[in-house]
């Protein structure tokens, strides 16, 4: 069983929006803060948004005011609403716990923003 499954990526024009979803097993979701990470070509993976079990959120400066992370505890799902997308947001997006665990990295979902 894959512990974390991301979906919702795609190709969008600059200024557009996408919503990513991450379905997690209940055991992960109930005890951990969850994060969205991204890795652009030639760059290191970076943490862009975190939501703690109690709902507190934090964002990287590069996405603050444009991205919103949320979680649905009943569905064991975490979301990333991405608005006002920029070409520099192009990357593979992953969810994982925060701090991340190597065994939870999944395939990710590709987000491509055209200019």
């Amino acid at each position: 069983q894959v512990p974390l499954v991301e979906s919702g990526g795609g190709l969008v024009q600059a200024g557009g929006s996408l919503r990513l979803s991450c379905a997690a097993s209940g055991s992960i979701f109930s005890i951990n803060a969850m994060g969205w990470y991204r890795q652009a070509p030639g760059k290191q993976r970076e943490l862009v948004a975190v939501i703690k079990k109690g709902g507190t959120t934090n964002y990287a400066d590069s996405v603050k005011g444009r991205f919103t992370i949320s979680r649905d505890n009943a569905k064991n799902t975490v979301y990333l609403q991405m608005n006002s997308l920029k070409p520099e947001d192009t990357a593979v997006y992953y969810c994982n716990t925060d701090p991340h665990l190597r065994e939870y990295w999944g395939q990710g979902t590709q987000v491509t923003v055209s200019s």
Side-chain angles (χ1 to χ4, degrees):
Q1 183 181 3
V2 179
L4 297 167
V5 180
E6 304 95 343
S7 62
L11 173 63
V12 64
Q13 289 187 332
S17 299
L18 285 173
R19 189 176 83 151
L20 307 183
S21 299
C22 173
S25 70
S27 61
I28 297 173
F29 202 77
S30 65
I31 64 174
N32 283 286
M34 299 297 298
W36 279 100
Y37 301 76
R38 69 184 181 186
Q39 186 167 22
K43 295 187 177 181
Q44 290 189 330
R45 195 171 299 179
E46 62 173 340
L47 177 64
V48 296
V50 176
I51 185 165
K52 297 183 179 180
K53 184 181 177 182
T56 303
T57 58
N58 283 292
Y59 299 92
D61 288 343
S62 58
V63 306
K64 202 171 292 184
R66 301 187 298 120
F67 290 11
T68 302
I69 189 171
S70 61
R71 61 194 291 164
D72 184 332
N73 292 330
K75 295 182 179 180
N76 293 341
T77 300
V78 61
Y79 303 98
L80 186 68
Q81 177 67 44
M82 305 186 295
N83 298 328
S84 302
L85 283 161
K86 303 175 181 180
E88 52 263 45
D89 294 318
T90 295
V92 179
Y93 285 71
Y94 304 86
C95 65
N96 203 319
T97 55
D98 178 44
H100 61 80
L101 294 175
R102 184 174 57 186
E103 60 265 35
Y104 290 161
W105 290 119
Q107 295 299 310
T109 186
Q110 176 71 47
V111 171
T112 303
V113 185
S114 63
S115 57

